């Protein structure tokens, strides 16, 4: 007999959850001091006390991750490709001269935080998920611009609903930003805090135009699609190909990489990763979507560029068939409803 989770669930209105922080009982913490990681432990305090000179606070020496735990119909708790998040955090740490979080520690931290907060994992069929936020920050006494001497790896979790307001396949809109997100040889391909503060104004300006998010073009020529503020872009072209930007200034989204595989293997589409010249190719777009752990697959109904809106769908704004199929496949696998052909799910055992 395998062990079962026995903790009763919290009495929450799961279907009403938005994408907001909700405190849960436990978080995992490991400390790196004198060149060595501590074993790590579960703690209850959701505050972090750090030195006022901590490099994470002044020079953004920090990185983070985002993934979800979902409940399968048979009650199993599933993560989605967590080893790719571990790998991405490893790359970010290397780029920012931080100690790497070994994959075993990363996965154990995630599993322990999920297991300890079992009561907060939304039940199957609720449409909600447990969002998991691993982070690595440079702490300790400091003043000058140099790497921290101490680091904290922390994993906290929060039950969440959809990132964009309406449930299921919410159609969103994007406005091309006049601001740049990431330089060609900068840090846009790492999930590090330094990339995001500068995007807050871009998001604000996009929202003033009535869009959900900013769409960033490449910083060198301002022609090619990079990505949205917190989601990659995929496009189903009129010629039947399925395309995503080839830019190395975008975050290598786990969701996007999975969707590309599904488009090729399950829908038999020709997939391409290449530069997409937005103004030249927009008339060839059949369907566009933003994708990520938080956004899942959000069809893009319209894009604002050069003073006007380009719409991809008619009134009523429903998702097109390609994005709808990909959404059903992806979410079906993540929630343990469909066969996991690719071995993407990772069970957190009781
Ligand atoms: C996290 C993130 C994504 C989505 O990546 P996933 O691994 O699919 O969650 C896309 N773009 C940016 C800028 C992000 O920060």
């Amino acid at each position: 007999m395998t062990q079962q989770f026995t903790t009763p669930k919290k009495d929450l209105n799961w279907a009403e959850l938005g994408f907001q922080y909700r405190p849960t009982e436990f978080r995992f913490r490991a400390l790196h001091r004198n060149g060595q990681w501590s074993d790590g432990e579960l703690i209850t305090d959701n505050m972090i006390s750090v030195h006022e000179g901590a490099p994470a606070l002044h020079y953004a020496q920090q990185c983070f991750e985002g993934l979800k735990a979902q409940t399968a119909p048979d009650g199993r708790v599933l993560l989605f490709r967590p080893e790719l998040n571990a790998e991405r955090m490893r790359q970010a740490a290397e780029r920012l001269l931080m100690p790497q979080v070994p994959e075993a520690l990363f996965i154990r931290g995630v599993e322990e935080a999920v297991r300890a907060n079992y009561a907060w994992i939304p039940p199957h069929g609720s449409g909600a998920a447990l969002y998991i936020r691993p982070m690595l920050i440079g702490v300790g006494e400091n003043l000058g611009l140099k790497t921290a001497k101490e680091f904290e790896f922390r994993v906290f979790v929060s039950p969440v609903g959809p990132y964009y307001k309406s449930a299921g396949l919410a159609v969103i809109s994007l406005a091309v930003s006049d601001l740049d997100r990431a330089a060609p040889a900068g840090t846009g391909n790492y999930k590090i805090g330094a990339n995001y503060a500068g995007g807050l104004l871009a998001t604000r300006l996009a929202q003033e135009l009535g869009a959900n998010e900013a769409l960033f073009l490449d910083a060198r020529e301002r022609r090619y699609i990079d990505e949205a503020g917190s989601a990659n872009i995929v496009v189903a072209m009129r010629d039947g190909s399925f395309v995503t930007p080839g830019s190395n200034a975008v975050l290598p989204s786990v969701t996007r990489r999975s969707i590309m595989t599904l488009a090729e293997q399950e829908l038999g589409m020709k997939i391409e990763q290449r530069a997409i010249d937005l103004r030249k190719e927009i008339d060839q777009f059949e369907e566009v979507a933003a994708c990520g752990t938080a956004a899942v697959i959000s069809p893009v109904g319209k894009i604002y560029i050069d003073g006007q809106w380009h719409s991809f769908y008619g009134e009523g704004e429903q998702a097109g068939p390609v994005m709808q199929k990909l959404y059903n496949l992806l979410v079906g696998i993540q929630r343990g409803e469909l066969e996991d052909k690719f071995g993407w799910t990772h069970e957190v055992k009781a």
Side-chain angles (χ1 to χ4, degrees):
M1 271 290 285
T2 53
Q3 245 182 299
Q4 302 258 306
F5 286 105
T6 50
T7 331
K9 293 280 177 189
K10 294 286 168 187
D11 187 19
L12 286 187
N13 191 352
W14 305 103
E16 292 296 303
L17 291 175
F19 199 88
Q20 271 136 22
Y21 179 85
R22 188 176 273 272
T24 57
E25 269 95 17
F26 300 100
R27 57 277 301 127
F28 179 86
R29 177 184 65 182
L31 302 173
H32 191 273
R33 287 189 179 132
N34 305 317
Q36 215 169 305
W37 282 109
S38 67
D39 288 344
E41 59 187 340
L42 288 167
I43 56 170
T44 55
D45 192 355
N46 66 354
M47 304 297 277
I48 301 177
S49 178
V50 293
H51 188 269
E52 60 193 0
L57 299 180
H58 297 261
Y59 310 123
Q61 194 183 29
Q62 67 91 256
C63 62
F64 63 98
E65 272 302 327
L67 64 164
K68 281 174 174 170
Q70 315 219 37
T71 310
D74 60 5
R76 285 177 308 139
V77 174
L78 302 177
L79 304 174
F80 187 70
R81 311 184 78 179
E83 66 288 348
L84 296 185
N85 298 94
E87 166 64 11
R88 204 164 58 186
M89 179 168 271
R90 194 184 66 70
Q91 287 167 357
E94 199 165 71
R95 178 67 177 81
L96 298 186
L97 301 185
M98 300 196 283
Q100 298 188 358
V101 177
E103 181 179 298
L105 176 60
F106 183 95
I107 301 282
R108 183 162 56 85
V110 167
E111 288 193 333
E112 286 197 25
V114 168
R115 203 179 280 126
N117 294 295
Y118 177 76
W120 298 94
I121 308 173
H124 183 80
S126 64
L130 189 74
Y131 185 77
I132 306 160
R133 172 53 62 86
M135 55 196 270
L136 173 62
I137 60 176
V139 297
E141 186 179 313
N142 184 63
L143 184 59
L145 176 53
K146 55 183 179 297
T147 181
K149 289 193 195 71
E150 296 179 6
F151 298 85
E152 173 166 337
F153 170 59
R154 179 176 283 234
V155 184
F156 70 83
V157 302
S158 177
V160 297
Y163 195 62
Y164 299 108
K165 276 178 203 84
S166 49
L169 262 187
V171 176
I172 62 162
S173 57
L174 302 175
V176 169
S177 180
D178 294 330
L179 303 171
D180 293 326
R181 174 179 180 272
T187 54
N189 53 335
Y190 302 99
K191 214 168 174 75
I192 65 179
N195 294 332
Y196 298 85
L200 294 173
L201 176 60
T203 308
R204 165 84 52 91
L205 295 171
Q207 288 171 347
E208 283 171 7
L209 288 166
N212 294 82
E213 270 217 47
L215 177 62
F216 295 101
L217 299 182
D218 77 288
R220 194 197 306 268
E221 296 189 65
R222 324 217 71 251
R223 275 172 63 183
Y224 305 106
I225 298 180
D226 262 355
E227 63 173 320
S230 58
N232 278 189
I233 299 295
V234 288
V235 183
M237 304 293 285
R238 295 219 154 142
D239 68 5
S241 60
F242 194 79
V243 188
T244 195
S247 167
N248 54 14
V250 310
L251 203 275
S253 157
V254 174
T255 316
R256 186 254 301 161
R257 285 181 271 169
S258 307
I259 290 171
M260 297 302 286
T261 300
L262 292 171
E264 182 177 54
Q265 308 277 319
E266 299 294 302
L267 305 189
M269 299 178 83
K270 178 175 165 246
I271 60 166
E272 285 181 273
Q273 191 163 352
R274 61 164 175 85
I276 303 173
D277 189 324
L278 182 57
R279 292 180 190 84
K280 268 202 186 136
E281 299 191 57
I282 196 164
D283 291 336
Q284 301 306 313
F285 292 1
E286 184 71 36
E287 296 180 41
V288 186
C291 61
T293 296
V296 193
I297 297 180
S298 298
V300 175
K302 51 186 187 171
I303 294 178
Y304 185 85
I305 180 171
D306 301 333
Q308 59 185 45
W309 287 101
H310 286 253
S311 294
F312 304 107
Y313 307 117
E315 282 306 304
E317 303 211 313
Q318 290 298 308
V322 174
M323 298 308 171
Q324 181 70 58
K325 278 182 210 157
L326 290 170
Y327 177 90
N328 294 348
L329 287 167
L330 178 74
V331 169
I333 294 170
Q334 291 175 333
R335 293 182 182 159
E337 293 161 357
L338 297 177
E339 186 202 341
D340 180 14
K341 275 189 208 174
F342 304 98
W344 284 343
T345 58
H346 174 114
E347 184 183 352
V348 179
K349 299 243 168 67

